[in-house]
Amino acid sequence: MTAEREAREWSQTDVIKALRAHAPEELPANASLLRQWKRWESGEVMPSDFYQPIIAATFGTVTHALFPVSSRRDGNAEIAVVSGMETLDIISRLQASDVDNATLDALRITTDRLCSEYAQLPPDQLAVEGRQWLKRVAALQSQRLTLAQHREVLAQAGWLALLVGCVEYDMGDRRAAESTRRAALSLGAEAEHAGIQGWAHEMRAWFAVTAGDYRGVLAASNAGTGVAAQQGVAVQLAAQEAKAWARLGDRRQAEVALDRGRRLLEGLPYPENLDNHFVVDPAKYDFYAMDAYRLLGENKLARTLAEEVIRASTDYDGTERSPMRIAEARLTLGVVAAREGDLEGAINYGEWALRGERQSLPSILAVSKELATVVGRNYAEAPETRSYLDHLNTLARVGA
């Protein structure tokens, strides 16, 4: 809370005034509210459930991004609890002539587990596993299924196709990723599953952002919102739209899109599984805003959000739960450092971001090019700049 306030150069009195503007009802007198704010900032007490969403709205974020809730699941354990089956048992049951609901429950949880491995597993390994399960699910179409089971099988195939397409794009295989994305969109339409269709459009928006096709981002966002306006994916579609407007230099439209996503996310139930790649968790909202404010030149806000993204994405023992988010946050810190005259810090952050084992190559190259533009413009003759640009050029050739 202190960092958010200071990033806006607000005094404690200023933030009290801002709180009133976002409150749904009259708040206590200024002196009383100021005392309460000081207790919150000092960590003496936690804001109540009434004040948490007001504080979040004041800072342009969502409640559980500022006040997170722990939620960790064990997918393998859930499979055993629900169905009593291990992976080999599931495969055997899938190959049987009849598929019962317990098997479909186990398949659903297996898909959820795979989608939850996105941030951690090496992309080539996850691609292999995802394709293997996609083939098994596709083979179910030849078996005797009820109408409800048929739609469930289509839905699970759709989620797996989305996952495989994301990983293919991370590895730089854009043609395969687009084909897989289209397959996922078709499966979602056949299953009449708005969420899968929405995420397929979100993938198109993501591809367009990294390719520099910002009008394409807006078109994909509009298409996705048209089929999944009230679902979690609509939050991410709004975020992709905000990224596009920020890159087009339209601050007003970027902030409108961010606020639309924030309001929708604030009204959604808290996710059961924060690790699933196709779940928009509250902490990710700061990640979206960080990207937009970096592009809009709001250095203090971008730095504060980047530091919060790193903190929220790192476990107490230093394990990085979301290494790709952290990499982009470090690049943001690098861009801010370069703008403020700290070449050494900028290059250190830039190289640190490139060292991660789990990367989305198109995404990290897109943000790295922003840092390269700043250091190339301001420090073109420095040997550190030339070394960093050479490193990026090498990576770009790999991803071409």
Side-chain angles (χ1 to χ4, degrees), residues 13-251:
T13 301
D14 293 332
V15 80
I16 292 306
K17 293 178 182 177
L19 275 183
R20 292 192 184 283
H22 292 86
E25 60 187 66
E26 186 68 24
L27 297 180
N30 283 347
S32 174
L33 196 55
L34 184 57
R35 285 195 300 272
Q36 188 71 349
W37 182 269
K38 290 178 178 179
R39 295 177 69 204
W40 292 336
E41 278 202 10
S42 69
E44 181 182 345
V45 294
M46 175 73 73
S48 68
D49 291 343
F50 172 77
Y51 279 107
Q52 286 183 10
I54 300 173
I55 296 168
T58 299
F59 290 135
T61 187
V62 291
T63 302
H64 293 300
L66 271 182
F67 308 102
V69 176
S70 298
S71 177
R72 305 287 287 179
R73 293 171 59 187
D74 184 339
N76 289 324
E78 287 190 5
I79 293 173
V81 169
V82 172
S83 63
M85 288 184 276
E86 300 292 343
T87 300
L88 289 177
D89 298 320
I90 300 170
I91 295 171
S92 298
R93 296 286 287 273
L94 291 175
Q95 293 170 341
S97 58
D98 290 306
V99 176
D100 59 18
N101 289 334
T103 304
L104 289 178
D105 285 340
L107 176 59
R108 191 181 302 112
I109 296 171
T110 299
T111 301
D112 178 78
R113 180 182 60 80
L114 285 170
C115 292
S116 301
E117 297 286 356
Y118 174 79
Q120 299 296 334
L121 276 188
D124 52 349
Q125 179 183 341
L126 189 54
V128 169
E129 290 192 33
R131 289 169 184 148
Q132 287 174 341
W133 278 101
L134 191 53
K135 289 178 182 177
R136 291 164 187 154
V137 173
L140 289 175
Q141 297 299 304
S142 63
Q143 299 188 26
R144 293 192 296 272
L145 299 171
T146 66
L147 179 59
Q149 288 176 332
H150 177 67
R151 291 182 66 176
E152 179 64 23
V153 167
L154 288 173
Q156 297 313 310
W159 289 121
L160 288 167
L162 289 170
L163 175 65
V164 171
C166 287
V167 176
E168 288 171 338
Y169 197 70
D170 287 342
M171 295 188 295
D173 193 344
R174 302 182 183 216
R175 182 175 298 179
E178 175 59 16
S179 296
T180 308
R181 184 197 71 82
R182 289 177 179 270
L185 180 61
S186 178
L187 288 164
E190 189 175 353
E192 299 180 350
H193 196 298
I196 292 171
Q197 294 176 72
W199 279 106
H201 288 297
E202 191 279 335
M203 286 174 64
R204 178 186 164 205
W206 170 36
F207 297 173
V209 165
T210 59
D213 177 15
Y214 306 132
R215 296 296 174 182
V217 177
L218 301 178
S221 177
N222 287 334
T225 302
V227 295
Q230 299 304 315
Q231 301 201 23
V233 64
V235 178
Q236 192 142 320
L237 286 163
Q240 298 291 12
E241 185 179 332
K243 290 182 180 184
W245 285 121
R247 284 163 172 78
L248 290 167
D250 193 326
R251 180 191 182 104

Side-chain angles (χ1 to χ4, degrees), residues 7 246-247 249-251 254-255 289-303 332 335-336 339-340 370 374 377:
R247 284 163 172 78
D250 193 326
R251 180 191 182 104
E255 292 188 330
M290 173 196 77
D291 184 273
Y293 285 121
R294 180 190 68 247
L295 287 157
L296 293 170
E298 291 285 354
N299 291 340
K300 288 186 178 180
L301 279 174
R303 179 194 292 115
T332 295
V335 170
V336 172
R339 289 171 179 167
E340 295 179 344
E370 292 179 37
V374 179
R377 180 178 63 238

Side-chain angles (χ1 to χ4, degrees), residues 306-368:
E307 290 170 349
E308 178 58 23
V309 167
I310 293 171
R311 186 201 64 76
S313 302
T314 306
D315 280 333
Y316 67 93
D317 61 356
T319 301
E320 296 183 354
R321 293 195 310 276
S322 302
M324 289 177 282
R325 289 189 207 176
I326 290 174
E328 291 195 35
R330 287 177 177 142
L331 286 168
T332 295
L333 293 173
V335 170
V336 172
R339 289 171 179 167
E340 295 179 344
D342 181 6
L343 175 61
E344 181 180 359
I347 297 297
N348 284 342
Y349 278 123
E351 290 290 357
W352 195 1
L354 298 176
R355 287 200 295 266
E357 293 183 3
R358 182 62 179 98
Q359 295 180 347
S360 173
L361 194 55
S363 294
I364 202 167
L365 282 175
V367 185
S368 293

